[in-house]
Amino acid sequence: MLRKMGALTLLTTCVLSVGNAVAADKLIVSTWGGSFKDLIDQTIAKEFTKETGVEVQFVTGGTIDRLNKAKLAGGSPETDVTFTTAHVGYLYANSGLFEKLDMSKIPNAVNLVQRAKVSPYHLGVWGYVYTIGYRPDLVPKGEEFTSWNDLWRPELKSSIALPDWDPSHIIAVSAKLSGSDAAHWEQGQSRLKALIPNIKSFYTDDANSQQLISTGETPVQVMLSMNAYSMIAEGVNIKLAVPKEGAILGVDTVAINKGSKHAELAYKFINIALKPEIQQEVAKIYRGSPTVTNAHIDPELAKLPGMLTTPEQWNATINTDPQLRAEKTAEWRQWFSENIMSH
């Protein structure tokens, strides 16, 4: 009788285990497409599935498109985990779309750099810079872009591309060159208008950015460093310059969607993302700067323009507070569209 009860208990346990596995057979992650989806898939997701046996499924799209979809979904999110930029993460959080994180469930977060402790709702998973990327074979001979002021040189007429979805980078630069900062961005408006003759195009996404510079249509860009290094690895003749005023800091973040039915798995996913070994892979393969202090980066890799591996390098960037960026995003985009893009 005891054997039969034991066998029944074992059978029940197995059935429950199988049921739980079926119920949580996928963790659904919202992210960008292309190389960023590949980055997460080949590093974080691979390790997550290895440790948990749970498959990771991706839903991809642009930064703002995914935010709008999340708003429409409300309390019934399509995904469990979301990757987005630091400032757009505030737009999610302010709309009640992210869970407040229980940091006791993310032990690896104890090693986060200060700039990656973005909010109680989202944490930095890798850093990068937006800086000047250029084709040395297509710009004036000897040009090295030692200052952001160099973008205004008349020799660069109809040469530059900027992102159309986020003007905060060039707004912060124009304000700084005008003796101010992004919080008082109006002081840089005339400076930014003076750049119009040198602007050739506004790229719509990472793929469009890469196309414009690879074909030479826009031999100079305010460019995401990780994209530049991806193209360099493919043999495209691009150089990155870090102006003396500093490159513009960017931090991509990870968060748990409020209403996720797989929150515990989501915590495991985030904790894995912050493992030093994973962060080292992100740096090695995709040139994303580690956001944990216990990641060991090859010294030669750490020397690359735009890599952030020391407090000094993080502090040398132009850092616009992501909460301010979130507050100003709509205002900046409207002004930029009406006064810069329409010309």
Side-chain angles (χ1 to χ4, degrees):
M1 184 66 179
L2 288 174
R3 287 180 184 180
K4 290 181 179 179
M5 290 177 65
L8 182 60
T9 300
L10 179 61
L11 177 62
T12 303
T13 301
C14 290
V15 169
L16 287 174
S17 296
V18 171
N20 288 337
V22 171
D25 61 346
K26 291 180 183 177
L27 185 75
I28 304 177
V29 173
S30 169
T31 184
W32 308 270
S35 60
F36 282 95
K37 181 258 186 184
D38 294 340
L39 160 62
I40 299 163
D41 191 24
Q42 295 169 18
T43 57
I44 306 166
K46 180 180 179 180
E47 180 65 19
F48 173 81
T49 300
K50 178 182 175 182
E51 291 188 17
T52 65
V54 177
E55 177 188 348
V56 175
Q57 180 177 314
F58 295 96
V59 174
T60 62
T63 303
I64 301 301
D65 290 341
R66 290 186 294 119
L67 169 63
N68 290 336
K69 283 181 68 178
K71 286 181 177 179
L72 288 173
S76 302
E78 178 185 17
T79 59
D80 302 299
V81 172
T82 291
F83 286 85
T84 190
T85 59
H87 72 288
V88 173
Y90 272 104
L91 299 179
Y92 279 87
N94 293 343
S95 297
L97 301 174
F98 282 168
E99 289 282 354
K100 186 174 182 179
L101 296 172
D102 180 350
M103 299 305 289
S104 69
K105 296 180 180 180
I106 314 173
N108 288 326
V110 71
N111 296 306
L112 281 170
V113 300
Q114 190 60 41
R115 299 284 174 81
K117 299 173 185 177
V118 183
S119 84
Y121 301 90
H122 61 317
L123 304 176
V125 71
W126 57 71
Y128 51 85
V129 297
Y130 269 88
T131 192
I132 301 172
Y134 67 100
R135 291 278 303 272
D137 55 327
L138 298 177
V139 299
K141 189 175 180 179
E143 180 63 81
E144 294 183 345
F145 297 97
T146 59
S147 169
W148 283 105
N149 282 303
D150 294 335
L151 291 182
W152 277 258
R153 292 179 58 182
E155 294 89 343
L156 298 179
K157 184 176 180 180
S158 298
S159 297
I160 298 171
L162 305 172
D164 72 348
W165 71 90
D166 186 2
S168 66
H169 318 107
I170 197 65
I171 282 176
V173 165
S174 299
K176 188 173 183 69
L177 295 179
S178 302
S180 188
D181 57 26
H184 305 91
W185 68 282
E186 295 87 354
Q187 296 185 39
Q189 288 179 355
S190 59
R191 180 74 171 162
L192 186 48
K193 288 178 179 179
L195 185 63
I196 290 173
N198 288 2
I199 300 173
K200 174 68 177 292
S201 184
F202 300 92
Y203 59 84
T204 55
D205 54 29
D206 293 331
N208 188 209
S209 163
Q210 293 171 2
Q211 177 190 24
L212 288 171
I213 199 166
S214 65
T215 61
E217 184 176 344
T218 59
V220 182
Q221 290 188 8
V222 175
M223 191 174 191
L224 175 62
S225 57
M226 294 172 73
N227 283 341
Y229 284 119
S230 175
M231 297 186 72
I232 291 169
E234 295 172 357
V236 182
N237 186 15
I238 296 175
K239 284 191 175 181
L240 279 184
V242 176
K244 63 183 181 182
E245 299 89 358
I248 303 144
L249 177 64
V251 177
D252 285 344
T253 61
V254 65
I256 299 173
N257 292 93
K258 192 167 187 177
S260 165
K261 295 180 175 61
H262 303 132
E264 293 307 310
L265 286 171
Y267 274 110
K268 291 180 181 179
F269 185 89
I270 293 175
N271 196 53
I272 287 170
L274 301 182
K275 289 178 68 171
E277 298 86 355
I278 297 296
Q279 294 270 309
Q280 286 158 204
E281 283 295 300
V282 171
K284 180 180 178 181
I285 303 172
Y286 289 92
R287 305 303 191 250
S289 297
T291 55
V292 294
T293 57
N294 57 339
H296 301 292
I297 307 303
D298 181 272
E300 292 304 309
L301 180 59
K303 292 178 184 177
L304 291 176
M307 284 297 293
L308 310 171
T309 60
T310 67
E312 291 76 19
Q313 289 173 325
W314 282 89
N315 292 334
T317 60
I318 298 174
N319 178 32
T320 301
D321 178 71
Q323 193 163 10
L324 173 69
R325 287 177 70 189
E327 293 170 359
K328 293 288 187 180
T329 289
E331 180 182 353
W332 285 348
R333 290 182 72 188
Q334 180 177 350
W335 183 91
F336 192 74
S337 175
E338 293 174 354
N339 294 275
I340 306 298
M341 294 180 67
S342 62
H343 289 274

